Short mmCIF file of all heavy atoms in Angstrom, two decimals:
data_model
loop_
_atom_site.label_atom_id
_atom_site.label_comp_id
_atom_site.label_asym_id
_atom_site.label_seq_id
_atom_site.Cartn_x
_atom_site.Cartn_y
_atom_site.Cartn_z
N GLY A 96 134.15 196.27 99.36
CA GLY A 96 135.07 195.13 99.26
C GLY A 96 136.12 195.13 100.35
O GLY A 96 137.26 194.73 100.11
N ILE A 97 135.75 195.62 101.54
CA ILE A 97 136.70 195.67 102.65
C ILE A 97 136.13 194.98 103.88
O ILE A 97 134.93 194.71 103.96
CB ILE A 97 137.11 197.12 103.00
CG1 ILE A 97 135.90 197.93 103.47
CG2 ILE A 97 137.81 197.79 101.83
CD1 ILE A 97 136.24 199.33 103.98
N LYS A 98 137.00 194.71 104.84
CA LYS A 98 136.61 194.10 106.10
C LYS A 98 136.17 195.19 107.08
O LYS A 98 136.61 196.34 106.97
CB LYS A 98 137.79 193.32 106.71
CG LYS A 98 138.17 192.10 105.91
CD LYS A 98 137.12 191.08 106.07
CE LYS A 98 137.59 189.68 105.75
NZ LYS A 98 136.51 188.74 105.99
N PRO A 99 135.35 194.84 108.07
CA PRO A 99 134.88 195.84 109.03
C PRO A 99 136.01 196.65 109.69
O PRO A 99 135.90 197.87 109.82
CB PRO A 99 134.12 195.01 110.06
CG PRO A 99 133.62 193.84 109.28
CD PRO A 99 134.73 193.54 108.30
N ARG A 100 137.08 195.99 110.06
CA ARG A 100 138.17 196.70 110.73
C ARG A 100 138.76 197.80 109.83
O ARG A 100 139.25 198.82 110.32
CB ARG A 100 139.26 195.72 111.17
CG ARG A 100 140.17 196.28 112.23
CD ARG A 100 141.19 195.28 112.73
NE ARG A 100 140.69 193.99 113.14
CZ ARG A 100 140.16 193.71 114.33
NH1 ARG A 100 140.04 194.64 115.24
NH2 ARG A 100 139.74 192.49 114.61
N ASP A 101 138.69 197.60 108.51
CA ASP A 101 139.21 198.58 107.56
C ASP A 101 138.35 199.85 107.49
O ASP A 101 138.79 200.86 106.94
CB ASP A 101 139.32 197.98 106.15
CG ASP A 101 140.28 196.81 106.11
OD1 ASP A 101 141.27 196.81 106.88
OD2 ASP A 101 140.03 195.88 105.31
N LEU A 102 137.16 199.79 108.03
CA LEU A 102 136.24 200.93 108.03
C LEU A 102 136.19 201.61 109.40
O LEU A 102 135.46 202.56 109.61
CB LEU A 102 134.83 200.48 107.61
CG LEU A 102 133.80 201.56 107.32
CD1 LEU A 102 134.24 202.41 106.12
CD2 LEU A 102 132.44 200.95 107.05
N MET A 103 137.02 201.12 110.31
CA MET A 103 136.97 201.64 111.68
C MET A 103 138.03 202.70 111.92
O MET A 103 139.15 202.61 111.41
CB MET A 103 137.16 200.50 112.69
CG MET A 103 136.04 199.48 112.62
SD MET A 103 136.22 198.16 113.83
CE MET A 103 135.26 198.87 115.16
N ARG A 104 137.65 203.68 112.72
CA ARG A 104 138.57 204.74 113.14
C ARG A 104 139.32 204.23 114.37
O ARG A 104 138.83 204.31 115.49
CB ARG A 104 137.80 206.02 113.44
CG ARG A 104 137.08 206.56 112.19
CD ARG A 104 136.27 207.80 112.48
NE ARG A 104 137.05 208.84 113.11
CZ ARG A 104 137.85 209.69 112.48
NH1 ARG A 104 137.98 209.63 111.17
NH2 ARG A 104 138.52 210.62 113.14
N LYS A 105 140.51 203.72 114.12
CA LYS A 105 141.28 203.06 115.18
C LYS A 105 141.86 204.02 116.21
O LYS A 105 142.28 203.61 117.28
CB LYS A 105 142.38 202.20 114.56
CG LYS A 105 141.80 201.07 113.71
CD LYS A 105 142.87 200.43 112.85
CE LYS A 105 142.27 199.47 111.85
NZ LYS A 105 141.55 200.13 110.77
N GLY A 106 141.87 205.31 115.91
CA GLY A 106 142.39 206.29 116.85
C GLY A 106 141.39 206.76 117.89
O GLY A 106 141.75 207.47 118.83
N GLU A 107 140.13 206.36 117.73
CA GLU A 107 139.10 206.78 118.68
C GLU A 107 139.28 206.06 120.01
O GLU A 107 139.63 204.87 120.05
CB GLU A 107 137.70 206.48 118.13
CG GLU A 107 137.34 207.26 116.88
CD GLU A 107 137.20 208.76 117.09
OE1 GLU A 107 137.04 209.21 118.25
OE2 GLU A 107 137.28 209.49 116.09
N ALA A 108 139.01 206.77 121.09
CA ALA A 108 139.14 206.20 122.44
C ALA A 108 138.28 204.94 122.58
O ALA A 108 138.70 203.96 123.19
CB ALA A 108 138.74 207.23 123.49
N GLU A 109 137.09 204.96 121.97
CA GLU A 109 136.18 203.82 122.08
C GLU A 109 136.77 202.56 121.46
O GLU A 109 136.44 201.45 121.88
CB GLU A 109 134.83 204.14 121.42
CG GLU A 109 134.01 205.18 122.15
CD GLU A 109 134.38 206.63 121.81
OE1 GLU A 109 135.39 206.87 121.12
OE2 GLU A 109 133.64 207.51 122.27
N TYR A 110 137.62 202.72 120.45
CA TYR A 110 138.27 201.57 119.82
C TYR A 110 139.16 200.87 120.83
O TYR A 110 139.13 199.66 120.98
CB TYR A 110 139.07 202.03 118.59
CG TYR A 110 139.66 200.90 117.78
CD1 TYR A 110 138.89 200.24 116.82
CD2 TYR A 110 140.98 200.48 117.95
CE1 TYR A 110 139.42 199.20 116.06
CE2 TYR A 110 141.52 199.45 117.21
CZ TYR A 110 140.73 198.82 116.26
OH TYR A 110 141.25 197.79 115.52
N LYS A 111 139.93 201.67 121.55
CA LYS A 111 140.84 201.12 122.56
C LYS A 111 140.09 200.61 123.78
O LYS A 111 140.35 199.52 124.29
CB LYS A 111 141.87 202.17 122.96
CG LYS A 111 142.80 202.56 121.81
CD LYS A 111 143.69 203.73 122.20
CE LYS A 111 144.55 204.19 121.05
NZ LYS A 111 143.86 205.01 120.08
N GLU A 112 139.13 201.42 124.26
CA GLU A 112 138.36 201.07 125.46
C GLU A 112 137.62 199.75 125.32
O GLU A 112 137.43 199.03 126.28
CB GLU A 112 137.36 202.18 125.79
CG GLU A 112 138.01 203.46 126.28
CD GLU A 112 137.06 204.65 126.26
OE1 GLU A 112 135.86 204.49 125.95
OE2 GLU A 112 137.54 205.77 126.55
N ASN A 113 137.17 199.46 124.10
CA ASN A 113 136.40 198.24 123.85
C ASN A 113 137.26 197.10 123.31
O ASN A 113 136.73 196.10 122.83
CB ASN A 113 135.24 198.54 122.91
CG ASN A 113 134.21 199.43 123.55
OD1 ASN A 113 133.60 199.07 124.55
ND2 ASN A 113 134.03 200.63 123.01
#
Side-chain angles (χ1 to χ4, degrees):
I97 63 174
K98 292 289 201 178
R100 198 176 310 277
D101 298 328
L102 190 63
M103 297 182 92
R104 297 178 54 82
K105 297 167 189 72
E107 296 294 341
E109 292 84 352
Y110 186 83
K111 295 173 184 79
E112 290 165 5
N113 293 298

